[in-house]
């Protein structure tokens, strides 16, 4: 997601994973989502893939991150709660199981890495880390990550004015109140805390990868409806936002460069058997 996570703007003191209606709204236009959402830096993919070739992608969506891991030589199984997203991922050649991750059954399968791109805030951070530990081999890595984008300052103010005019006090308007990287840093911290509480991971780390992407007006307007503050807007309101944002981009020369930071919270599973695993039951 290229902007501040809108869920933080509206319920930062609550638990995003409980807001399932918003979490499951992204599949409304899965084709657009797959086409328009930004990818992830190759350096991050390679660093995670170095752990081992068997990858479980939690909240895989249409398979954007999964295809990048496959291109790096990995074997990927996806899990997603939204059948619409899963169907498109399967059309792209990915093996996907439909379930909320907290309820998903590893069925004895083990992976070298469990990853989650732009999704882990929709998963209970403790239950999700515990389930990841059950699915990981000893020494396997849990790595959850988000793209945080920073617009050129003048364009950010122009966008903010559009939202203040068209959708005052809305979820989408509030996304401009705080730099995106701050919101995603908070999500990384929350994810790391969940890993610590499970007790079967080593000390969590936070990684950061900087990169850039240039957008034309049409490319930006294509992806904007796929972001959390926009997926459930009425068409009339969405059209007004797109018109205003498009005019702001035209005034800035018809395009811009977004500076991204991809933030990662990650930890390695220790040799201790995770709660609920077959090994821990045998030792009980």
């Amino acid at each position: 997601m290229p902007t501040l996570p809108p869920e933080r703007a509206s319920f930062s003191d609550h638990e995003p994973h409980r807001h399932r209606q918003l979490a499951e709204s992204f599949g409304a236009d899965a084709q657009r989502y797959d086409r328009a959402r930004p990818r992830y830096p190759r350096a991050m993919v390679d660093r995670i893939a170095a752990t081992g070739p068997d990858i479980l992608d939690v909240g895989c969506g249409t398979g954007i991150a999964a295809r990048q891991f496959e291109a790096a030589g990995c074997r990927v199984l996806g899990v997603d709660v939204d059948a619409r997203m899963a169907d498109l991922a399967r059309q792209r050649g990915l093996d996907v199981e439909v379930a909320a991750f907290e309820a998903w059954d590893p069925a004895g399968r083990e992976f070298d890495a469990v990853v989650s791109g732009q999704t882990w805030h929709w998963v209970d951070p403790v239950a999700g880390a515990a389930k990841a530990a059950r699915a990981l081999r000893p020494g396997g890595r849990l790595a959850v990550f988000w793209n945080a984008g920073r617009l050129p300052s003048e364009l950010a103010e122009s966008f903010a004015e559009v939202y203040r005019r068209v959708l005052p006090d809305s979820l989408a308007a509030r996304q401009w109140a705080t730099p995106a990287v701050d919101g995603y840093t908070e999500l990384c911290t929350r994810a790391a805390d969940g890993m610590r509480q499970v007790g079967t991971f080593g000390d969590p780390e936070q990684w950061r990868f900087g990169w850039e992407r240039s957008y034309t007006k049409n490319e930006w307007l294509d992806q904007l409806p796929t972001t959390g503050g926009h997926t459930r807007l009425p068409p009339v309101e969405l059209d007004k936002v797109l018109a205003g944002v498009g005019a702001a981009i035209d005034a800035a020369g018809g395009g811009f460069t977004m500076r991204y930071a991809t933030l990662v919270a990650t930890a390695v599973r220790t040799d201790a058997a995770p709660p609920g695993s077959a090994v821990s039951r045998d030792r009980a």
Side-chain angles (χ1 to χ4, degrees):
M1 190 176 298
T3 54
L4 175 71
E7 65 276 7
R8 179 180 184 272
S10 63
F11 45 86
S12 61
D13 295 330
H14 302 281
E15 297 173 295
H17 61 275
R18 298 189 184 279
H19 294 252
R20 287 295 183 185
Q21 285 186 333
L22 181 55
E24 297 172 20
S25 69
F26 298 97
D29 191 345
Q31 291 277 358
R32 181 195 293 264
Y33 188 102
D34 189 69
R35 177 180 67 241
R37 279 298 188 106
R39 274 48 182 168
Y40 300 97
R42 178 62 186 269
M44 182 204 75
V45 171
D46 288 345
R47 188 170 180 181
I48 296 171
T51 307
D54 293 321
I55 305 289
L56 177 68
D57 185 358
V58 177
C60 65
T62 61
I64 291 172
R67 295 196 298 272
Q68 291 188 253
F69 281 101
E70 287 182 331
C74 297
R75 297 178 292 269
V76 184
L77 172 66
V79 177
D80 201 277
V81 72
D82 192 325
R84 298 166 299 181
M85 303 284 260
D87 285 345
L88 185 56
R90 293 187 186 109
Q91 293 174 33
R92 302 286 193 267
L94 184 65
D95 185 12
V96 185
E97 297 178 6
V98 177
F101 184 57
E102 298 92 332
W104 174 76
D105 184 5
R109 292 168 292 183
E110 292 185 326
F111 300 85
D112 297 305
V114 174
V115 304
S116 182
Q118 222 69 27
T119 308
W120 197 252
H121 50 287
W122 301 122
V123 176
D124 181 290
V126 178
K131 181 61 64 70
R134 285 182 57 198
L136 283 167
R137 298 183 175 102
R141 180 178 295 281
L142 172 59
V144 301
F145 44 88
W146 292 267
N147 284 329
R150 180 162 64 89
L151 289 165
S153 57
E154 291 185 3
L155 192 58
E157 178 55 35
S158 296
F159 283 9
E161 177 56 34
V162 171
Y163 287 92
R164 286 193 293 265
R165 183 179 71 252
V166 177
L167 297 172
D169 300 322
S170 70
L171 193 66
R174 291 194 295 274
Q175 68 185 305
W176 307 102
T178 306
V181 72
D182 292 353
Y184 287 116
T185 297
E186 181 179 319
L187 295 183
C188 278
T189 299
R190 192 176 299 169
D193 288 344
M195 297 174 198
R196 288 189 188 93
Q197 289 184 51
V198 169
T200 54
F201 289 97
D203 290 338
E205 300 177 358
Q206 294 192 26
W207 302 342
R208 178 171 177 156
F209 300 85
W211 56 287
E212 297 182 349
R213 175 180 167 176
S214 294
Y215 285 92
T216 65
K217 178 181 76 172
N218 288 341
E219 287 171 338
W220 184 257
L221 297 185
D222 192 31
Q223 65 80 37
L224 196 57
T226 74
T227 62
H230 304 81
T231 54
R232 296 192 296 169
L233 284 179
V236 172
E237 292 184 352
L238 179 60
D239 287 346
K240 290 179 181 178
V241 168
L242 296 178
V245 168
I249 297 173
D250 282 337
F256 62 93
T257 297
M258 177 75 84
R259 294 183 178 179
Y260 282 103
T262 299
L263 306 179
V264 186
T266 182
V268 173
R269 210 207 98 178
T270 64
D271 288 340
S277 69
V279 174
S280 67
R281 288 194 298 271
D282 289 344
R283 291 177 180 172

